[in-house]
Amino acid sequence: STLAWSYAQGVHVKRMLAFAGRIYVATTVDLMSDTGADMPDMELAFAVNDLAVHGGKLYAAAGNSLWEATASQSWTNFHMFTGTVKAVASYGLLLAVGVENGSAMEVWFWDGATWTSSPAVTNAAYHIIRLQAFNTYLYLGLGTGDNSAAPLYTHNGMAWNLNHDFNGELSQN
């Protein structure tokens, strides 16, 4: 059967992800999950921007925090950042976290022991839309509120490079 959850008008889905036999739905108001029985469980009672699976754990980007859960649905505040956590992705052995810190678009990498910052762009007009790993690259999609620019950056493990500027095309997936 299909899931038939109901939300108030104006609530938007930010990301969906399957993990440990459940479907997770991150919205502008909360994070819900379901086994497919159409009986959703409240996971986190606040807006979640993005979800990713890395190292057998589920991560949720919300506010200034990165949350972590195991298959037991037990959530902990894994790390707090200066700025707003907008995106999270698994990038090889690293966990990548996109943070908007004023005009700086930063990507932080967690190797299991240490956090390392990799500033990508400094431009207050941009917002982080998405992080996505593909092959040996990490892609960072940015956008503006008025859709006047949508640059796509790639990280090769050492540095960021402008891959393409979509000149106002929508950069969301």
Side-chain angles (χ1 to χ4, degrees):
S1 75
T2 62
L3 301 178
W5 302 351
S6 61
Y7 275 102
Q9 186 173 3
V11 174
H12 296 94
V13 172
K14 303 285 273 185
R15 183 89 159 104
M16 294 183 292
L17 189 72
F19 174 71
R22 302 183 76 82
I23 182 77
Y24 288 82
V25 179
T27 74
T28 53
V29 295
D30 60 20
L31 175 65
M32 301 289 281
S33 75
D34 198 324
T35 61
D38 203 21
M39 297 177 60
D41 292 320
M42 175 71 70
E43 296 280 342
L44 297 172
F46 41 79
V48 173
N49 292 316
D50 199 11
L51 299 168
V53 173
H54 178 76
K57 296 179 181 175
L58 178 62
Y59 293 90
N64 69 340
S65 296
L66 182 67
W67 291 81
E68 177 187 77
T70 61
S72 67
Q73 298 176 277
S74 175
W75 288 92
T76 57
N77 190 333
F78 183 68
H79 191 79
M80 291 178 68
F81 294 87
T82 301
T84 304
V85 181
K86 302 297 274 185
V88 60
S90 183
Y91 177 46
L93 297 175
L94 302 173
L95 180 66
V97 181
V99 178
E100 291 182 5
N101 186 3
S103 63
M105 304 300 116
E106 304 170 335
V107 176
W108 288 82
F109 296 106
W110 172 250
D111 65 6
T114 306
W115 286 101
T116 305
S117 175
S118 179
V121 178
T122 301
N123 186 330
Y126 292 137
H127 298 284
I128 295 172
I129 304 296
R130 187 85 170 100
L131 277 173
Q132 182 67 51
F134 182 69
N135 289 336
T136 60
Y137 293 96
L138 180 65
Y139 291 83
L140 171 64
L142 302 176
T144 58
D146 62 2
N147 295 327
S148 62
L152 179 65
Y153 286 83
T154 55
H155 192 273
N156 62 7
M158 297 186 319
W160 290 101
N161 295 295
L162 179 62
N163 180 286
H164 186 76
D165 190 345
F166 291 94
N167 279 335
E169 298 173 20
L170 291 177
S171 63
Q172 296 185 3
N173 58 348

